[in-house]
Amino acid sequence: MKLTNDLTAEEFREYYFLKEELKDFCRTEGLKISGSKEDLENRIVHYLATGEKLAGESFKKPSREYSTEISLDAKLGENFRCGQDKREFFENHIGKSFKFNVRFQKWLKSNPDKTYRDAIEAYGEIQNSKQKTKIGKQFQYNRYIRDFFEDNDDKSLEDAIKCWKYKKSIKGRNNYEKSDLKILGD
């Protein structure tokens, strides 16, 4: 399904679109292209339903004030952003295996009064935890792949991707179902 302004909001909701497709549509229609995939989807639904841009839509980037000092005892601060400078800091203290995973990013953003030293400790605890990360609803592909492998530990990633591509090409929800395996022809 191609994303065009001929779709209704209801039709739009019935299909899966990549974030890049959403951004391309927003560029073409003069809509704001920043934000999460969920932000883009909400913006497009409103536009398709009303023909209007959301109130407050502007192309100006919001100004962000946050500390540029990065040291073990510096506070994370409000509006923490995961940038290259912070990645390098954490890699230097944790190792090259460091990743800004979802749980760690959430921890960083919800603990502005903690220090970078606290963050390093929290990262270790998060990495050692067996708790699964809840996958946000906007990350449909990731949820699908996780659910696929929970049900099919004998299948390959290639199989999972074939099933995902089939699922996202049809109308409806993009949740994994056992019946998706029919595309594999087993």
Side-chain angles (χ1 to χ4, degrees):
M1 170 63 65
K2 181 148 174 61
L3 177 52
T4 67
N5 61 10
D6 295 331
L7 289 177
T8 66
E10 293 74 30
E11 290 170 326
F12 171 77
R13 286 189 186 112
E14 291 290 325
Y15 290 93
Y16 175 86
F17 296 97
L18 297 171
K19 185 173 182 181
E20 199 53 46
E21 292 174 295
L22 302 176
K23 289 171 85 172
D24 288 344
F25 177 83
C26 288
R27 275 187 201 97
T28 301
E29 300 299 320
L31 302 172
K32 188 175 166 183
I33 62 168
S34 64
S36 68
K37 185 173 183 190
E38 187 175 19
D39 294 337
L40 294 168
E41 289 170 339
N42 291 336
R43 193 172 294 137
I44 291 170
V45 165
H46 178 81
Y47 179 73
L48 292 173
T50 66
E52 300 172 358
K53 297 176 185 176
L54 283 170
E57 290 277 294
S58 101
F59 287 97
K60 285 175 31 181
K61 287 191 171 189
S63 66
R64 293 188 176 117
E65 292 182 29
Y66 48 92
S67 172
T68 57
E69 178 194 358
I70 303 175
S71 69
L72 288 171
D73 296 320
K75 294 206 185 249
L76 299 171
E78 297 290 331
N79 301 317
F80 183 90
R81 299 289 180 257
C82 302
Q84 188 58 35
D85 56 340
K86 294 176 180 108
R87 178 181 309 282
E88 289 172 7
F89 175 85
F90 286 121
E91 282 179 354
N92 288 335
H93 288 84
I94 294 171
K96 290 291 181 190
S97 64
F98 170 78
K99 300 275 187 265
F100 275 123
N101 61 51
V102 173
R103 286 183 58 210
F104 186 55
Q105 287 183 49
K106 286 181 179 178
W107 187 92
L108 291 166
K109 291 176 190 225
S110 62
N111 289 285
D113 293 328
K114 298 285 187 175
T115 65
Y116 282 85
R117 185 184 314 274
D118 297 328
I120 291 168
E121 186 177 318
Y123 183 82
E125 291 169 7
I126 289 167
Q127 290 303 100
N128 292 327
S129 169
K130 300 295 182 201
Q131 179 184 351
K132 279 189 176 179
T133 302
K134 183 180 184 310
I135 300 175
K137 70 177 191 167
Q138 71 273 31
F139 302 111
Q140 296 174 41
Y141 171 81
N142 296 24
R143 277 198 338 249
Y144 186 93
I145 298 299
R146 177 184 280 179
D147 294 346
F148 177 92
F149 281 117
E150 282 180 0
D151 197 42
N152 301 286
D153 60 358
D154 61 324
K155 302 284 186 210
S156 68
L157 180 57
E158 185 179 313
D159 291 335
I161 292 170
K162 280 181 190 174
C163 289
W164 165 249
K165 286 181 178 179
Y166 159 73
K167 188 65 163 207
K168 75 176 186 134
S169 73
I170 60 174
K171 190 175 183 178
R173 297 178 47 130
N174 293 313
N175 296 337
Y176 167 76
E177 297 172 342
K178 191 79 164 167
S179 61
D180 297 344
L181 297 173
K182 68 184 173 195
I183 197 71
L184 298 177
D186 291 344

